[in-house]
């Protein structure tokens, strides 16, 4: 059987207990070497076969995993963050379905949560933004036209850009041209939760400069929106003494 496991954003102790236990039992581990903390491999048992998928094609990953499964072995496919976000797992699952190989998924802490933690940030502040758009800028991989950053930015929701740190100039120029104010608060977080994490608050206008000055071109997230530097917001209803909930009687009833 193949277990897709989310490794978490970087720090070794941010993998789930279930994920760690699956690593300990695995006969074969195929990990995304470009982003997964290699420190997690210390959980592998002796004799475990380990492959770095950064050097492999989809066909090779499937071949290694299916070969192991045919021998009754347990395979962990270790993905960075949560496997469901830019994890390219659907294509692996489809290949395993064709081969009648069973699999399951253990979620992980996505890097966008790691970045929020690094910044002490709440993505969903009442009256500021109640939605988070997780997206990427188009590059070598296209983005559906309806999801262009111009189209998405119309909502003025909080935006988190994955896979886009290589061209912060274009990202900033396009968002400003689409109508976001140049002073919109932004943050760029490099290797959130890793020991060499770097984080900077800036504005949409200063983002390219801040990224260049600090040599950030990859393994970073860009967060755009007033939640990064909120001037004012309303407190949540949930803890408002006047608000009755299913668990607490408020002064409103
Ligand atoms: N599944 C992963 C994302 C994989 S796509 C997740 O849930 O986080 C790879 C992109 O994720 C990188 O280019 C970068 O934009 C982002 N990323 C992954 N780990 C990161 C980290 N620790 N800090 C900042 N960005 C990270």
């Amino acid at each position: 059987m193949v277990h897709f496991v989310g490794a978490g954003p970087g720090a070794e102790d941010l993998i789930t207990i279930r994920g760690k236990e699956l690593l300990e039992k695995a006969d074969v581990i195929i990990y995304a070497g470009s982003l997964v903390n290699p420190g997690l491999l210390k959980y592998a048992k002796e004799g475990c076969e380990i492959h770095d998928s950064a050097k492999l094609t989809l066909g090779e990953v499937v071949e290694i995993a299916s070969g192991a499964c045919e021998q009754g072995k347990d395979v962990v496919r270790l993905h960075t963050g949560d496997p469901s976000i830019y994890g390219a797992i659907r294509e692996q699952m489809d290949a395993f379905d064709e081969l009648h190989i069973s699999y399951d998924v253990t979620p992980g802490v996505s890097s966008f949560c790691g970045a929020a933690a690094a910044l002490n940030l709440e993505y969903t502040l009442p009256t500021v933004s109640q939605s988070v758009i997780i997206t990427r800028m188009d590059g070598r991989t296209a983005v559906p036209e309806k999801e262009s950053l111009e189209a998405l930015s119309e909502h003025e929701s909080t935006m988190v850009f994955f896979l886009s740190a290589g061209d912060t100039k274009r990202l900033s120029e396009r968002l400003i041209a689409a109508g976001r104010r140049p002073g919109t608060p932004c943050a760029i977080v490099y290797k959130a939760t890793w020991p060499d994490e770097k984080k900077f608050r800036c504005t949409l206008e200063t983002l390219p400069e801040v990224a260049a000055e600090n040599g950030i071109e990859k393994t970073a997230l860009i967060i755009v929106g007033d939640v990064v530097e909120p001037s004012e917001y309303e407190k949540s209803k949930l803890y408002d003494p006047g608000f009755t909930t299913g668990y607490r009687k408020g002064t409103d009833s």
Side-chain angles (χ1 to χ4, degrees), residues 9-10 35 79-87 109-112 115 161-165 189-194 218-221:
L35 281 167
H79 282 271
T80 179
D82 183 81
S84 71
I85 311 263
Y86 304 112
V109 177
S110 177
S111 58
F112 81 94
F161 287 94
F162 281 73
L163 298 157
S164 307
V189 184
Y190 168 78
K191 292 185 89 175
T193 81
W194 287 72
K218 57 177 187 174
T219 327
L221 289 171

Side-chain angles (χ1 to χ4, degrees), residues 108-134:
V109 177
S110 177
S111 58
F112 81 94
C113 300
L119 296 164
N120 293 330
L121 178 150
E122 179 176 347
Y123 284 127
T124 52
L125 270 183
T127 65
V128 179
S129 177
Q130 288 289 282
S131 314
V132 185
I133 296 178
I134 289 172

